[in-house]
Amino acid sequence: MPSLTENLEAVRERIASAAQRAGRKHGDVELVAVSKTYPVEMIREAAEAGQELFGESRIQEALIKIPSLPSRLRWHFIGHLQSNKVRKVLPYFELIHGVDSSSLARDIDRIGGEMGIFPRVLLEVNVSGEGSKHGFAPEALERELEGLLAMPRLQVEGFMTMAPLAAEAEASRPYFAALRELRDRLSTATGIPLSTLSMGMSGDYEVAVEEGATLVRVGSAIFGNR
Ligand SMILES: *Cc1c(COP(=O)(O)O)cnc(C)c1O
């Protein structure tokens, strides 16, 4: 079995190759090592192999793990966030990936004001329209985006999506391409860069990089099966 360090190296190489195939610089893509469910020892091992950015999706688990790890590590919250957890989450995470409604965005904005910070967020978009998925429908996003961008504290840096579960990575391509095209259109319409695209997981991150991802969220390809 390859070691965690070897897995990490392999993922980094695949990201670099995918970026090169798409004519992008590999520095344009950052790897979020998704460490949910994995123990702090494994996170420490990844950190020793040079990985500094990690993603967690379960608040209780994350708030136990993060304080016991080196403070130089950076954390992204990638899970479904409930309004009553915002105050707990904001101090630990530099970016919230899954803001999926205007009401959650308003709560983050308000609490950011109370805490004296400017929370950085990505808006989750349900590109596939699957009922089981969180996120703004593309049409709702087009309607609500101006209001979201006008919030005084909220820093909307771009979008996040999840492709439907599929055996083939190629099946994700149309969804990733659609998110990039939506972003391009909304960026032009609003004059705001919206430059961050969080898309791609262990099964489809190379396709995501080819389609413009700037953040890929990769867990099991690094840490092993959960
Ligand atoms: C768990 C998770 C991932 C990583 O999934 P892997 O298949 O293990 O790479 C990515 N994004 C989100 C939102 C997740 O919950």
Side-chain angles (χ1 to χ4, degrees), residues 34 36 38 57 78 160 162 201-203 217-221 226:
V34 176
K36 66 167 190 236
Y38 302 106
S57 62
I78 62 168
M160 177 265 209
M162 290 172 77
M201 312 187 357
S202 289
R217 310 178 309 269
V218 180
S220 51
R226 285 184 195 89

Side-chain angles (χ1 to χ4, degrees), residues 13-220:
E13 279 169 17
R14 284 168 179 273
I15 289 171
S17 305
Q20 194 173 29
R21 281 196 297 281
R24 308 178 61 204
K25 297 194 290 277
H26 68 83
D28 293 349
V29 186
E30 196 170 13
L31 171 62
V32 183
V34 176
S35 51
K36 66 167 190 236
T37 75
Y38 302 106
V40 287
E41 294 73 36
M42 293 179 85
I43 301 174
R44 203 168 276 127
E45 193 180 336
E48 276 158 19
Q51 181 67 27
E52 293 206 338
L53 176 58
F54 294 88
E56 287 279 337
S57 62
R58 300 167 190 190
I59 296 162
Q60 267 185 307
E61 176 189 339
L63 298 196
I64 292 170
K65 287 154 76 176
I66 294 174
S68 70
L69 285 157
S71 59
R72 69 185 160 84
L73 303 188
R74 297 183 290 124
W75 299 90
H76 286 187
F77 190 78
I78 62 168
H80 177 59
L81 183 57
Q82 290 165 314
S83 282
N84 62 355
K85 300 285 166 53
V86 169
R87 206 176 293 277
K88 266 193 175 156
V89 161
L90 287 180
Y92 290 93
F93 293 90
E94 63 173 30
L95 185 68
I96 309 291
H97 283 227
V99 174
D100 58 2
S101 71
S102 286
S103 88
L104 174 61
R106 268 193 300 277
D107 288 328
I108 296 175
D109 183 64
R110 174 176 48 79
I111 292 166
E114 290 169 17
M115 298 174 76
I117 58 173
F118 293 87
R120 298 170 50 205
V121 305
L122 306 178
L123 305 175
E124 182 167 1
V125 187
N126 184 355
V127 180
S128 67
E130 283 186 306
S132 59
K133 286 211 164 24
H134 295 289
F136 290 89
E139 314 76 61
L141 182 68
E142 299 208 27
R143 268 197 319 273
E144 296 176 41
L145 185 61
E146 286 224 28
L148 292 159
L149 294 176
M151 292 183 187
R153 290 279 169 169
L154 200 73
Q155 306 289 300
V156 179
E157 299 193 347
F159 303 134
M160 177 265 209
T161 200
M162 290 172 77
L165 208 57
E168 287 282 320
E170 277 302 322
S172 301
R173 191 181 296 278
Y175 303 102
F176 296 156
L179 187 66
R180 173 176 36 81
E181 285 157 16
L182 180 67
R183 188 278 309 276
D184 290 349
R185 199 165 71 244
L186 293 176
S187 167
T188 302
T190 59
I192 307 241
L194 303 167
S195 51
T196 302
L197 288 179
S198 168
M199 50 191 199
M201 312 187 357
S202 289
D204 55 15
Y205 67 90
E206 294 166 270
V207 169
V209 169
E210 289 172 4
E211 294 300 331
T214 64
L215 292 173
V216 290
R217 310 178 309 269
V218 180
S220 51

